[in-house]
C-alpha cells in the first residue's frame, strides 16, 4: 500500500567550507557574532525532507505519495519528480511564492549551518488528508510549516492512519504543549540524538515516559548508527560502510526512507534499521540529497556485505 509523506519540497544550495567552524567562532564573542565563511563549492540540488524521503523510497520500490506545495519556480522540480516515476497528484503550485530553499554549509568535520526559507511551504496548511484518494498504510509527518504538521497529524489520528512524527529542524518551533500533543497522536517518533535530548527537555518526558505515548522511538546517531526502542527491547543498529564520504546531507532522510519502506513490508525492527543504514550509505556517497541511485540487486548485495545475511525484499516477502 502507498505511504503518504507530508513535508517540504525545496531547493538545496549545498556549500563546502574547507575548514572547521570552531576555528572561526570566538566563544567569548558569541553575543556579537559576525562571521563570513568563504566556501569552495556550491551546488543547487532538489531537496526538502518529503522529496528526499520519497526519492529513496521510490528506488526501493515503495509507493510514496507526497503532500506538499511548490512555488512558481518549481516547474523543473515537478518535471524531475515525474521523470523519476513518482506520483505528483498531491503536489500543488503556489503562484505568488518561491519554492522553499535551504542554504547548507558543511565544514570539514561534517558540522552544518543551515539557513532555511519556507516560501511556498507556508501554504502547506491549505493541503489536507481529505484530498488523498488512496488507502495509505502509513504516513510520515516531516518538516514543513508547523501549523501544517499539527493539522496533518491530527487528520491522520482522526482517520486512524498510523503515522511517524519526524520534526527534525522544526522541533524548536513547537511549544512543549504542541510537542506533547503530536507525540501523543503518533505511533512512531524519530529524531537524531540531539533532537531526542531536546524533545525530552521540552516535554519533561524521559525515554520511558515517551514510550507510553508512542510504540517505537528511533534515534539516529550518525557514525554511531541508530538505536530502536520499543516497550520491550532496545536494538542497536550499526552503520553500513561507505565507499566515500562525499556529503552527509540527506543521509537521515535516506535512512527514514529505508526504515519505513522496510516496515511497510512487515520486516522486524532490526532489519528496518539495517535497511535504513544501507539507504543512508548511498546518500552519503553522493553530493546532494537525490543524486544517488541503485538497483534492488545492488542494494541487497550491499546489505549482505554490511550485515552478513541476505535481505528478503519486495515480492519475495509475500
Amino acid at each position: 500500500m502507498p505511504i503518504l509523506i507530508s513535508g517540504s519540497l525545496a531547493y538545496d544550495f549545498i556549500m563546502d567550507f574547507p575548514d572547521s567552524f570552531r576555528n572561526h567562532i570566538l566563544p567569548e564573542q558569541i553575543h556579537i557574532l559576525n562571521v563570513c565563511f568563504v566556501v569552495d563549492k556550491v551546488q543547487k540540488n532538489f531537496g526538502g525532507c518529503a522529496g528526499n524521503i520519497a526519492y529513496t523510497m521510490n528506488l526501493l520500490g515503495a509507493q510514496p505519495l507526497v503532500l506538499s506545495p511548490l512555488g512558481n519556480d518549481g516547474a523543473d522540480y515537478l518535471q524531475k519528480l515525474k521523470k523519476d516515476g513518482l506520483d505528483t497528484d498531491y503536489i500543488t503550485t503556489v503562484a505568488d511564492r518561491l519554492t522553499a530553499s535551504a542554504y547548507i554549509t558543511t565544514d570539514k568535520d561534517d558540522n552544518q549551518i543551515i539557513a532555511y526559507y519556507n516560501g511556498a511551504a507556508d501554504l502547506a496548511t491549505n493541503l489536507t488528508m481529505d484530498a488523498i484518494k488512496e488507502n495509505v498504510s502509513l504516513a510520515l509527518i516531516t518538516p514543513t510549516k508547523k501549523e501544517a504538521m499539527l493539522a496533518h497529524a491530527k487528520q491522520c489520528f482522526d482517520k486512524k492512519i498510523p503515522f511517524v512524527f519526524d520534526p527534525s529542524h522544526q522541533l524548536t518551533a513547537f511549544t512543549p504543549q504542541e510537542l506533547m500533543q503530536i507525540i501523543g497522536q503518533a505511533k512512531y517518533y524519530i529524531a537524531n540524538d540531539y533532537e531526542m535530548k531536546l524533545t525530552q527537555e521540552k516535554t519533561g518526558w524521559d525515554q520511558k515516559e515517551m514510550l507510553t505515548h508512542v510504540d517505537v522511538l528511533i534515534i539516529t546517531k550518525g557514525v554511531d548508527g541508530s538505536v530502536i526502542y520499543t516497550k520491550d527491547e532496545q536494538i542497536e543498529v550499526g552503520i553500513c560502510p561507505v565507499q566515500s564520504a562525499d556529503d552527509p546531507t540527506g543521509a537521515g532522510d535516506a535512512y527514514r526512507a529505508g526504515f519505513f519502506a522496510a516496515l511497510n513490508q512487515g520486516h522486524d525492527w532490526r532489519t528496518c534499521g539495517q535497511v535504513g543504514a544501507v539507504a543512508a550509505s548511498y546518500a552519503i556517497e553522493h553530493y546532494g540529497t537525490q543524486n544517488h541511485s541503485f538497483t534492488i540487486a545492488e542494494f541487497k548485495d550491499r546489505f549482505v556485505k554490511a550485515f552478513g545475511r541476505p535481505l528478503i525484499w519486495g515480492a519475495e516477502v509475500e
Side-chain angles (χ1 to χ4, degrees):
M1 292 176 67
I3 300 173
L4 182 67
I5 308 172
S6 162
S8 63
L9 295 171
Y11 291 113
D12 290 341
F13 296 85
I14 301 174
M15 295 160 278
D16 285 350
F17 179 57
D19 200 347
S20 299
F21 293 142
R22 67 172 180 268
N23 295 333
H24 301 267
I25 297 176
L26 302 174
E28 67 276 9
Q29 299 296 319
I30 198 73
H31 62 292
I32 53 170
L33 185 65
N34 189 348
V35 180
C36 175
F37 298 111
V38 179
V39 299
D40 61 5
K41 184 176 182 180
V42 61
Q43 182 174 327
K44 181 181 178 181
N45 287 278
F46 299 107
C49 292
N52 296 340
I53 294 170
Y55 175 80
T56 301
M57 274 192 178
N58 189 54
L59 291 176
L60 287 165
Q63 303 174 56
L65 302 175
V66 176
L67 184 68
S68 181
L70 284 169
N72 55 27
D73 59 340
D76 59 337
Y77 202 155
L78 191 62
Q79 182 180 8
K80 186 257 185 190
L81 292 168
K82 291 179 179 178
K83 183 179 178 181
D84 288 342
L86 275 87
D87 190 311
T88 60
D89 287 352
Y90 306 112
I91 298 173
T92 59
T93 299
V94 179
D96 61 350
R97 299 285 182 96
L98 294 175
T99 300
S101 301
Y103 301 84
I104 306 164
T105 305
T106 305
D107 74 0
K108 70 174 187 179
D109 301 319
D110 285 342
N111 297 309
Q112 293 184 322
I113 295 175
I114 302 173
Y116 193 82
Y117 166 67
N118 222 33
D122 280 338
L123 281 299
T125 49
N126 293 343
L127 306 176
T128 73
M129 297 294 175
D130 292 335
I132 308 302
K133 300 172 185 176
E134 294 85 351
N135 291 323
V136 298
S137 56
L138 178 70
L140 277 68
I141 307 299
T142 70
T144 185
K145 188 176 179 65
K146 179 186 77 170
E147 288 76 12
M149 297 175 73
L150 285 163
H152 293 169
K154 185 178 186 305
Q155 290 160 19
C156 283
F157 182 73
D158 290 343
K159 290 177 178 293
K160 295 181 170 51
I161 300 172
F163 74 89
V164 182
F165 182 40
D166 175 21
S168 188
H169 59 266
Q170 278 288 70
L171 180 59
T172 56
F174 290 88
T175 67
Q177 292 73 23
E178 290 169 336
L179 196 56
M180 288 187 283
Q181 172 188 318
I182 199 168
I183 291 173
Q185 294 169 335
K187 187 167 185 177
Y188 312 100
Y189 186 55
I190 184 169
N192 64 32
D193 46 359
Y194 176 82
E195 292 161 352
M196 193 62 72
K197 290 176 183 176
L198 182 58
T199 300
Q200 293 176 344
E201 181 179 303
K202 289 185 70 123
T203 61
W205 294 342
D206 59 16
Q207 184 176 292
K208 184 178 180 180
E209 174 65 20
M210 290 183 70
L211 282 168
T212 67
H213 299 279
V214 296
D215 288 354
V216 183
L217 292 174
I218 305 109
I219 305 176
T220 59
K221 305 174 73 174
V223 296
D224 293 322
S226 60
V227 188
I228 304 159
Y229 295 94
T230 71
K231 294 175 177 61
D232 302 316
E233 59 182 333
Q234 172 182 328
I235 303 162
E236 304 273 350
V237 178
I239 62 169
C240 174
V242 296
Q243 297 174 6
S244 63
D246 290 353
D247 178 23
T249 311
D253 290 336
Y255 177 95
R256 286 152 172 76
F259 189 103
F260 293 107
L263 178 64
N264 204 43
Q265 291 190 13
H267 286 288
D268 62 76
W269 298 120
R270 183 174 300 279
T271 301
C272 290
Q274 291 173 340
V275 171
V278 175
S281 73
Y282 282 100
I284 292 169
E285 291 172 353
H286 294 79
Y287 203 77
T289 57
Q290 297 181 32
N291 293 324
H292 56 284
S293 64
F294 52 77
T295 66
I296 296 299
E298 290 169 341
F299 191 94
K300 291 169 66 176
D301 182 62
R302 182 173 290 200
F303 184 97
V304 170
K305 291 177 180 176
F307 298 110
R309 63 189 181 93
L311 173 65
I312 308 302
W313 195 253
E316 300 171 340
V317 176
E318 299 175 358

